[in-house]
Amino acid sequence: EHAAAATLQRSLLPAVPTVAGLQVAARYLVGMDGNQVGGDWYDVLNLPDGAVGVAVGDVVGHDLRAAAAMGQLRAVLRSYAWDGGPPGSVLDRCDQLVQGLEMAAMATAVYARMEPPDERGERLVRYANAGHPTPLLLAPDGKLCRLDEHHSPMIGAVPRLGRRDGPGRTEAAVRCRPGSLLVFYTDGLTDIAGADPD
């Protein structure tokens, strides 16, 4: 099962696309404890309206079920992002489907929509975060900004969140100047950073 889950997980992670005007890179490393499976995923999308979608998430669990749920959630988020919806709405719709179809117990995710560059080359980045580690933005002048506004509960955690008759996720926005570095990551990175060096 372990080998099957590891194969499934790697097969569901995307090749990083070429994005005009951006340098995009992704890295997936096996956990330090030897656990090669789980629900961690990422995606980068060239959207039809010229924007770029970036998503990172983590389905709860470290088994074949988590790897399969990760693939489903990634596909669902891609389809909602493709429609051009705002990040909060995209995560709300994912939440509704996860709960309605019981795709996964719970998951964290952050979704950002990078608008096409303006006349100065700056991009407006709108983002929403459902319980995921905070993305970071490093400006060309070295100023570090934590994209931690409008943090909301994990997908699948609050039954009425995102429903038509309940409150929805909100989004925040930040401007990225040319030469900025935008970093998305999962809790695996923070686990490594907090590990005992011995």
Side-chain angles (χ1 to χ4, degrees):
E1 181 181 325
H2 183 79
T7 301
L8 175 63
Q9 183 177 31
R10 288 202 179 269
S11 72
L12 293 172
L13 294 174
V16 176
T18 299
V19 179
L22 297 176
Q23 291 181 343
V24 182
R27 186 160 186 189
Y28 177 82
L29 298 174
V30 174
M32 290 181 65
D33 62 0
N35 188 356
Q36 298 181 20
V37 298
D40 299 281
W41 58 277
Y42 59 85
D43 213 343
V44 179
L45 303 162
N46 282 305
L47 299 172
D49 60 2
V52 178
V54 180
V56 175
D58 184 6
V59 173
V60 172
H62 294 284
D63 55 13
L64 189 56
R65 181 174 295 182
M70 173 271 287
Q72 291 176 319
L73 184 57
R74 180 179 158 252
V76 165
L77 191 142
R78 284 174 72 94
S79 67
Y80 293 150
W82 193 258
D83 288 344
S89 174
V90 168
L91 292 182
D92 280 345
R93 293 176 72 190
C94 288
D95 200 337
Q96 292 169 25
L97 201 61
V98 163
Q99 292 188 47
L101 298 180
E102 299 180 357
M103 287 172 33
M106 287 189 288
T108 65
V110 59
Y111 173 62
R113 180 183 158 85
M114 301 178 70
E115 302 298 338
D118 63 16
E119 64 280 353
R120 294 176 297 182
E122 292 185 358
R123 291 178 182 264
L124 180 65
V125 178
R126 302 179 199 281
Y127 64 94
N129 191 329
H132 199 76
T134 301
L136 303 171
L137 174 64
L138 182 64
D141 62 5
K143 181 180 177 184
L144 182 66
C145 177
R146 293 173 48 86
L147 306 186
D148 56 4
E149 295 182 46
H150 300 275
H151 217 76
S152 64
M154 295 171 65
I155 291 171
V158 180
R160 298 196 60 80
L161 185 64
R163 305 287 178 170
R164 288 190 181 131
D165 59 346
R169 287 183 173 82
T170 56
E171 64 183 50
V174 64
R175 297 198 76 78
C176 284
R177 300 193 320 255
S180 296
L181 176 64
L182 186 56
V183 179
F184 295 81
Y185 55 95
T186 65
D187 60 0
L189 182 65
T190 56
D191 291 346
I192 291 170
D196 184 355
D198 296 330

